[in-house]
Amino acid sequence: MPELPEVENVIRSLVKKVSGKIIINIEIVTPNIIYNRMEFKDLVISKTIVTLLRRGKYIIIKLSEGNLLIHLRMTGKLLYNGEVNKHTHLRFKFLDGDYLIYNDVRKFGRVSYLNNDELEVYLNTKVGLEPGLMVFDEFKDKLMKKTGAIKKNLLDQTVIAGIGNIYADEILFASGIHPLFETKNLLESDLENLYNNIREILEEATIAGGSTIRDYVNGEGAAGAYQDTHKVYGKSGKECISCGCKLEKIKVAGRTSVFCPICQRIR
DNA sequence: CACTAAACCTGGGAGC
DNA sequence: TGCTCCCAGGTTTAGT
């Protein structure tokens, strides 16, 4: 489900609500969701939530000691005082009676406890450039070290963090680049277009509350609106808004990719 | 080393 | 109505 704009909206919707809350109990319905499940309760109960941060698609809940690292994968949701149902796998109860639940239809998401050193090591090895903070030269250097198709490299979280299947397709369309275009053949002008579109599209999507295709809602249960702005994602067979020809669908790096064969020609 | 397929799961939609 | 098949905002691991 969630890519950078969605994860960012989860955090923005929750940070004021849960900061300062003291965790007094955790109901673990589905232990598989948690990595260090044996010690998890002992490590987390009685800690206070300091704040929420995002790195790529990861949610970091900073505690008075240590951190919760959460990845929502496809259908994970963090909900503040949300509805407990058969997809609720985790429930953090606070001293004041409020609570935070982790719901996930497909159970792909993961939650773990990491101390500050472990968190830093993990993020440094797994998570690449932050789109809103990266400068052009580091973006170019890191991307041009990769081989193969540009779409595969945009989805590589160790290069740029936070781009998923929706925004990769939207970014490539906005940049006029075919998803199978070889990264090594990108021109300087292509790189500039990509850099600008990555930042602009993710920022606009974040402001719109993210994209809700099916499941996504923020921490208060509110859907996003950016799906109304999508130009290619999920629109195979429809007309290109720019040239009017039919959008096509191919598989790249195992993911469905929609593009305009005229506006995104392989040069 | 690089790329692909399978695995992890459940549910919605299309087609029959 | 109901069954089967395909597909899904992601990542890791096993296999070629």
Side-chain angles (χ1 to χ4, degrees), chain A residues 9-22 49-52 78-82 94 96 98-100 218-221:
Chain A
N9 273 281
V10 170
I11 286 168
R12 290 184 186 182
S13 65
L14 289 175
V15 64
K16 283 179 187 155
K17 305 215 178 249
V18 302
S19 293
K21 303 268 186 184
I22 300 163
I49 294 179
V50 176
T51 191
L52 271 62
L78 272 184
L79 296 167
Y80 179 74
N81 289 347
F94 303 128
D96 62 4
D98 287 332
Y99 60 90
L100 185 67
N218 70 13
E220 296 171 296

Coordinates of all heavy atoms in Angstrom, one line a residue, chain A residues 9-22 49-52 78-82 94 96 98-100 218-221:
Chain A
N9 N 1.9 10.9 5.6 CA 0.6 11.3 6.1 C 0.1 10.5 7.4 O -0.6 11.1 8.2 CB -0.5 11.2 5.0 CG -0.5 12.5 4.2 OD1 -1.1 13.5 4.6 ND2 0.1 12.5 3.0
V10 N 0.6 9.3 7.4 CA 0.3 8.5 8.7 C 1.0 9.2 9.8 O 0.4 9.4 10.9 CB 0.8 7.0 8.5 CG1 0.7 6.3 9.9 CG2 0.0 6.3 7.5
I11 N 2.2 9.6 9.6 CA 3.0 10.2 10.7 C 2.4 11.6 11.1 O 2.2 11.9 12.3 CB 4.5 10.3 10.3 CG1 5.1 8.9 10.4 CG2 5.2 11.3 11.1 CD1 6.4 8.8 9.7
R12 N 2.1 12.4 10.1 CA 1.5 13.7 10.4 C 0.2 13.6 11.1 O -0.1 14.5 12.0 CB 1.3 14.5 9.1 CG 2.7 14.9 8.4 CD 2.5 15.7 7.2 NE 3.7 16.0 6.5 CZ 3.9 16.8 5.5 NH1 2.8 17.3 4.9 NH2 5.1 16.9 4.9
S13 N -0.6 12.6 10.8 CA -1.9 12.5 11.5 C -1.8 11.9 12.9 O -2.7 12.1 13.7 CB -2.8 11.5 10.6 OG -2.3 10.2 10.6
L14 N -0.6 11.3 13.2 CA -0.5 10.7 14.5 C 0.5 11.4 15.5 O 0.3 11.3 16.7 CB 0.1 9.3 14.4 CG -0.9 8.2 13.8 CD1 -0.1 6.9 13.6 CD2 -2.1 8.0 14.7
V15 N 1.4 12.2 15.0 CA 2.5 12.7 15.8 C 2.0 13.5 17.0 O 2.4 13.3 18.2 CB 3.5 13.5 15.0 CG1 3.0 14.7 14.4 CG2 4.8 13.8 15.9
K16 N 1.0 14.4 16.8 CA 0.5 15.2 17.9 C -0.3 14.3 18.9 O -0.4 14.6 20.1 CB -0.3 16.4 17.4 CG 0.6 17.5 16.9 CD -0.2 18.7 16.4 CE 0.7 19.7 15.7 NZ 0.0 20.5 14.7
K17 N -1.0 13.3 18.3 CA -1.9 12.5 19.1 C -1.2 11.6 20.1 O -1.6 11.4 21.2 CB -2.8 11.7 18.3 CG -3.6 12.5 17.3 CD -5.0 12.0 17.0 CE -5.8 12.9 16.1 NZ -6.8 13.6 16.7
V18 N 0.0 11.0 19.6 CA 0.6 10.0 20.5 C 1.9 10.4 21.2 O 2.3 9.8 22.1 CB 0.9 8.7 19.7 CG1 -0.4 8.1 19.0 CG2 1.9 9.0 18.6
S19 N 2.4 11.6 20.8 CA 3.6 12.1 21.5 C 3.3 12.4 22.9 O 2.3 13.0 23.2 CB 4.1 13.3 20.8 OG 4.6 13.0 19.5
G20 N 4.2 11.9 23.8 CA 4.0 12.1 25.2 C 3.2 11.0 25.9 O 3.1 10.9 27.1
K21 N 2.6 10.1 25.1 CA 1.8 9.0 25.7 C 2.7 7.9 26.3 O 3.7 7.6 25.7 CB 0.9 8.3 24.6 CG 0.0 9.3 23.9 CD -1.4 9.4 24.6 CE -2.3 10.3 23.8 NZ -3.6 10.5 24.4
I22 N 2.3 7.4 27.4 CA 3.0 6.3 28.1 C 2.4 5.0 27.8 O 1.2 4.8 28.0 CB 3.1 6.5 29.6 CG1 3.8 7.9 29.9 CG2 3.8 5.4 30.3 CD1 3.5 8.4 31.3
I49 N 6.3 7.6 24.3 CA 6.5 8.0 22.9 C 7.0 9.5 22.9 O 6.3 10.4 23.4 CB 5.2 7.8 22.1 CG1 4.8 6.4 22.0 CG2 5.4 8.4 20.7 CD1 3.6 6.1 21.2
V50 N 8.2 9.6 22.3 CA 8.8 11.0 22.2 C 8.3 11.7 20.9 O 7.8 12.8 21.0 CB 10.3 10.9 22.2 CG1 10.9 12.3 22.0 CG2 10.8 10.3 23.5
T51 N 8.4 11.0 19.8 CA 7.9 11.6 18.6 C 7.8 10.5 17.5 O 8.3 9.4 17.7 CB 8.8 12.8 18.1 OG1 8.1 13.4 17.0 CG2 10.1 12.3 17.6
L52 N 7.3 10.8 16.3 CA 7.3 9.9 15.1 C 8.1 10.5 14.0 O 8.0 11.7 13.7 CB 5.9 9.7 14.7 CG 5.1 8.6 15.3 CD1 4.9 8.8 16.8 CD2 3.7 8.4 14.6
L78 N -1.7 2.0 10.8 CA -1.6 2.4 12.2 C -2.8 3.3 12.4 O -3.0 4.3 11.7 CB -0.3 3.2 12.4 CG 1.0 2.4 12.8 CD1 2.1 3.5 13.1 CD2 0.8 1.5 14.0
L79 N -3.6 3.0 13.4 CA -4.8 3.7 13.7 C -4.9 4.1 15.1 O -4.8 3.3 16.0 CB -6.0 2.9 13.3 CG -6.2 2.5 11.8 CD1 -7.2 1.4 11.7 CD2 -6.5 3.7 11.0
Y80 N -5.1 5.4 15.4 CA -5.3 6.0 16.7 C -6.7 5.8 17.2 O -7.7 6.3 16.5 CB -4.9 7.5 16.7 CG -5.0 8.1 18.0 CD1 -4.1 7.9 19.0 CD2 -6.1 9.0 18.2 CE1 -4.2 8.6 20.2 CE2 -6.2 9.7 19.5 CZ -5.2 9.4 20.4 OH -5.3 10.1 21.6
N81 N -6.9 5.0 18.2 CA -8.2 4.7 18.7 C -9.1 4.1 17.7 O -10.4 4.4 17.7 CB -8.9 6.0 19.3 CG -8.2 6.4 20.6 OD1 -7.5 5.6 21.2 ND2 -8.5 7.6 21.1
G82 N -8.5 3.4 16.7 CA -9.3 2.9 15.6 C -10.1 1.6 15.9 O -10.0 1.1 17.0
F94 N -2.3 3.1 26.1 CA -1.7 4.2 26.8 C -2.2 4.4 28.2 O -3.4 4.0 28.5 CB -1.8 5.4 26.0 CG -1.2 5.3 24.6 CD1 -2.0 5.7 23.5 CD2 0.1 4.8 24.4 CE1 -1.4 5.6 22.2 CE2 0.6 4.7 23.1 CZ -0.2 5.1 22.0
D96 N -3.5 6.9 29.6 CA -4.7 7.7 29.6 C -5.9 7.0 29.0 O -7.0 7.6 28.9 CB -4.5 9.1 28.9 CG -4.2 8.9 27.4 OD1 -4.2 7.8 26.9 OD2 -3.9 9.9 26.8
D98 N -6.3 5.9 25.9 CA -6.2 5.9 24.4 C -5.3 4.7 24.0 O -4.6 4.1 24.8 CB -5.7 7.2 23.9 CG -6.7 8.3 24.0 OD1 -7.9 8.1 24.0 OD2 -6.2 9.5 24.2
Y99 N -5.4 4.4 22.7 CA -4.6 3.3 22.2 C -4.2 3.5 20.7 O -4.8 4.3 20.0 CB -5.3 2.0 22.4 CG -6.6 1.9 21.7 CD1 -6.7 1.4 20.4 CD2 -7.8 2.3 22.4 CE1 -7.9 1.3 19.8 CE2 -9.0 2.2 21.7 CZ -9.1 1.7 20.4 OH -10.3 1.6 19.8
L100 N -3.2 2.8 20.3 CA -2.8 2.8 18.9 C -2.8 1.3 18.4 O -2.2 0.4 19.1 CB -1.4 3.3 18.8 CG -0.8 3.5 17.4 CD1 -1.5 4.6 16.6 CD2 0.7 3.9 17.5
N218 N -5.0 7.3 6.6 CA -4.0 7.8 7.6 C -4.3 7.3 9.0 O -5.2 6.5 9.2 CB -3.8 9.3 7.5 CG -5.1 10.0 8.0 OD1 -5.9 9.5 8.7 ND2 -5.1 11.3 7.7
G219 N -3.6 7.8 10.0 CA -3.8 7.4 11.4 C -5.1 7.7 12.0 O -5.5 7.1 13.0
E220 N -5.9 8.6 11.3 CA -7.2 8.9 11.8 C -8.3 8.3 10.9 O -9.5 8.6 11.0 CB -7.4 10.4 11.8 CG -6.5 11.1 12.7 CD -6.5 12.6 12.5 OE1 -6.1 13.1 11.4 OE2 -6.9 13.3 13.5
G221 N -7.9 7.4 10.0 CA -8.8 6.7 9.1 C -9.3 7.5 7.9 O -10.2 7.1 7.2

